[in-house]
Amino acid sequence: MITKEQNEKDLDTNNPEKDKAEIKKEDLSKIIESMISDQKILQNGYQILSDNEYRKNFYFNLLQLCFEAEKEQKTQKMKLCGSVFHTFIKQNYESEDKITNEEKLNIVSYILTLIDTKNYYLKNLIAEVLGFIAAREFPNCYESFIKILLDKLNANNESNINENQIDEILRIFISVLKYCEEECAIITGSVLPVIINIFKISKNNQKNREKCLIIISLFLNKLSYADGNDVDLLSNSLDSNSLMENSISLFTSILISNPKMLLDIKKYTIRILDILVRDMPIYSSKFFNLLIEPAWRLIVLELSLYC
């Protein structure tokens, strides 16, 4: 994510950024707690925090306070720290005089140790922050944290599955795809096989299966620009080990299952097939014979049940 040369710049004794006064975590905590206890201070909170945002470790300490507050069951403090962190990092991430490369590295490393959290607010905060960072650090973020997340997903199997961790990592990928442009399509071939495997082994967690299908549809949407324009990218991303052919067979088996079951799963499956046929007609034409039966069954046998 950050190059070695960039990081050394931050540590250079001749770098004026090094002279920034550090804000201690306990001092930042007092500011946050005073905002919670005093409405007048809260009203001026943005200015108070703005006066400190340039100080070393402001962002890292704020993030730590957020997660520590959750452990201490101080929900109000957790949400205030999380909201302030989210607002300021989006506002200043690309401002080198306010957040150093070293601090960016520390933030990502720290977040990766926390993806097992079960707190819904923190799950969404982690996903939102990493998605935002990925969009600004792509493609370097692949080695920095996307590959690490894929390794964690690959550690799961049918007999040993961490559903909570999978939930968080899938949220992160959805956020990454939300923030990144079409350029992230180049990692489709590395990510999609892992996501499809998670879909297969998550038989008892329909919500995680739905997230897998959302991720697949988002990747195909990012890839759609290459239809007819970049055959090699599509082939490398979707045809390795007959990935898409086997996936379509899996999706069609879902569509022809009991019409009164897996309605949300079927909805997301239809979205995937719709992108393939509508936005990638040249690429998907070779799978047309696989799509006829489920499409016909869906129209003739199933849609009538809901009309």
Side-chain angles (χ1 to χ4, degrees):
M1 186 171 84
I2 308 300
T3 65
K4 180 180 179 183
E5 290 75 18
Q6 287 175 311
N7 195 32
E8 287 175 347
K9 172 181 177 292
D10 288 329
L11 299 176
D12 193 329
T13 54
N14 294 321
N15 180 8
E17 291 181 11
K18 180 176 170 54
D19 295 329
K20 294 192 305 182
E22 180 176 2
I23 184 168
K24 294 181 179 179
K25 185 166 62 175
E26 52 266 32
D27 294 335
L28 187 56
S29 179
K30 290 176 182 177
I31 294 173
I32 294 295
E33 288 173 358
S34 67
M35 292 170 62
I36 294 173
S37 61
D38 191 321
Q39 189 67 28
K40 290 183 179 179
I41 296 178
L42 180 61
Q43 290 173 353
N44 296 315
Y46 182 84
Q47 184 58 52
I48 295 171
L49 292 166
S50 294
D51 292 340
N52 289 278
E53 63 181 335
Y54 70 93
R55 298 177 67 181
K56 186 177 180 181
N57 285 332
F58 171 80
Y59 297 89
F60 184 64
N61 285 338
L62 194 57
L63 185 63
Q64 281 191 315
L65 287 174
C66 176
F67 282 87
E68 289 172 3
E70 188 269 336
K71 292 180 180 179
E72 298 166 359
Q73 298 184 332
K74 296 179 179 179
T75 303
Q76 193 174 3
K77 183 178 180 180
M78 175 193 73
K79 290 185 176 181
L80 180 56
C81 288
S83 176
V84 171
F85 175 82
H86 183 245
T87 298
F88 275 78
I89 199 168
K90 289 185 74 172
Q91 178 178 294
N92 299 320
Y93 186 82
E94 296 177 274
S95 177
E96 293 185 5
D97 62 327
K98 292 182 179 177
I99 177 170
T100 65
N101 293 318
E102 180 185 11
E103 192 167 8
K104 292 174 185 177
L105 285 169
N106 289 338
I107 286 169
V108 173
S109 298
Y110 181 65
I111 288 177
L112 290 176
T113 68
L114 302 166
I115 59 173
D116 283 326
T117 181
K118 295 182 179 180
N119 184 284
Y120 183 78
Y121 176 84
L122 295 180
K123 279 177 174 287
N124 287 331
L125 178 65
I126 288 173
E128 182 73 12
V129 170
L130 287 184
F132 172 82
I133 291 176
R136 280 144 188 83
E137 301 289 353
F138 196 87
N140 295 327
C141 64
Y142 181 81
E143 291 294 333
S144 298
F145 68 86
I146 291 179
K147 188 175 183 297
I148 294 173
L149 297 178
L150 289 175
D151 290 341
K152 289 182 180 295
L153 288 179
N154 276 324
N156 290 273
N157 54 60
E158 290 187 354
S159 59
N160 181 26
I161 184 167
N162 186 338
E163 294 182 348
N164 180 65
Q165 187 184 88
I166 288 174
D167 168 56
E168 177 56 23
I169 294 176
L170 295 179
R171 288 172 188 266
I172 292 170
F173 274 111
I174 291 172
S175 180
V176 168
L177 290 164
K178 179 183 75 172
Y179 276 107
C180 287
E181 302 294 337
E182 283 80 3
E183 60 180 357
C184 72
I186 62 174
I187 66 172
T188 303
S190 300
V191 179
L192 232 53
V194 180
I195 297 300
I196 290 172
N197 182 59
I198 292 297
F199 178 87
K200 291 177 180 178
I201 68 176
S202 299
K203 297 176 181 178
N204 297 320
N205 192 316
Q206 295 307 308
K207 291 299 181 183
N208 279 351
R209 298 191 103 191
E210 290 171 19
K211 292 186 187 74
C212 288
L213 294 175
I214 292 172
I215 291 169
I216 295 169
S217 67
L218 289 171
F219 266 116
L220 291 179
N221 190 54
K222 301 291 185 186
L223 269 176
S224 61
Y225 80 93
D227 191 48
N229 299 312
D230 194 335
V231 176
D232 289 339
L233 175 60
L234 286 175
S235 179
N236 293 334
S237 299
L238 302 177
D239 292 339
S240 179
N241 298 318
S242 301
L243 174 66
M244 188 49 59
E245 183 176 357
N246 294 333
S247 298
I248 289 177
S249 297
L250 172 64
F251 300 149
T252 55
S253 69
I254 294 172
L255 291 180
I256 63 177
S257 63
N258 189 324
K260 295 185 178 181
M261 295 178 63
L262 306 177
L263 299 185
D264 286 333
I265 295 291
K266 289 182 178 180
K267 177 181 70 175
Y268 291 117
T269 301
I270 291 171
R271 180 185 298 176
I272 291 172
L273 298 180
D274 179 54
I275 293 172
L276 278 171
V277 174
R278 182 193 64 201
D279 299 334
M280 305 171 69
I282 298 174
Y283 173 78
S284 64
S285 61
K286 59 185 175 181
F287 303 118
F288 187 70
N289 62 316
L290 297 175
L291 300 172
I292 294 176
E293 180 185 352
W296 179 256
R297 180 185 178 92
L298 187 68
I299 294 171
V300 175
L301 299 180
E302 298 197 21
L303 292 184
S304 59
L305 294 174
Y306 312 109
C307 296

